Amino acid sequence: RLGLGDRVVGVTTHCNFPPEVTVKPKVGSYINLNVEQIVSLAPDLVIATVGGNERAVVEIIERAGITVYVVNPGSVRETIQTIAILGELCGVEQEAKALAAELTRRVDKVVQMAGSREKPLVFLQINLSPIMTVNRRTIHHDLIQLAGGRNMAAQESITYPRISMEEIIRRQPDVILISSMERGGRFEKAREDWFNWTSIPAVRTGRVHLIDSDLIDRPSPRVVEGLERMAELIHPGIDWGTQ
């Protein structure tokens, strides 16, 4: 979105968007980076993450004379702020400001339209087996709140807790959203399997939906698209296109 694609010299093995990244050199995963390859690519700037990159690896890259900027956006609005900062660091400050303003307007629209509605209890499944969800210390929780829902697992002590089917039945979520790294038939089957549990309100009303994990797992401009999609699923009665 900032027109910097031609200046990207390396990406991780997890990077899959936009399609052009498939031809970029891979420098390893977030946790297992190939430092030698990073240095050999001679970047002017390396973008690291607090949650994914070890401090020792960051320090090695810095000792090689390469500037490292560490990001840690924990919410949608922090993600937008980070985009603006990265644009400034990369010399496209005006483009980044314009993008940040556009994304902020879209977030504000969702908040305004969903804010006056009743807030259903939302269970977000991020892993199929074991069943896992998210607590309040995640960007997913922020997405649920901004989209006008209540995170069923907000008060769990573990950031990404495992949760039993018995506990889900006890808590009675109104909406079930399934976001998983699983793809293909297993992903759709996970949704179908929920319909065996008719004692859950979300199941009885057919409010069990798939949501693309790429849109809500990664703090990027597409997280706002993920917010819009989540809001549509949580509040299907709103005409998002005309208000």
Side-chain angles (χ1 to χ4, degrees), residues 48-103:
T49 66
V50 171
N53 304 131
E54 295 181 1
R55 182 179 181 87
V57 173
V58 171
E59 291 174 348
I60 292 172
I61 296 172
E62 288 178 326
R63 286 199 294 271
I66 299 171
T67 299
V68 180
Y69 186 76
V70 182
V71 300
N72 188 35
S75 69
V76 174
R77 295 192 189 277
E78 286 179 5
T79 297
I80 296 172
Q81 293 170 358
T82 300
I83 291 168
I85 293 170
L86 291 176
E88 183 176 355
L89 289 174
C90 295
V92 288
E93 181 176 0
Q94 294 308 312
E95 292 88 341
K97 283 184 176 180
L99 176 57
E102 174 205 331
L103 296 174

Side-chain angles (χ1 to χ4, degrees), residues 225-236:
E225 182 181 343
L227 171 63
E228 293 166 339
R229 178 58 180 153
M230 187 176 288
E232 290 171 354
L233 297 174
I234 293 175
H235 296 289

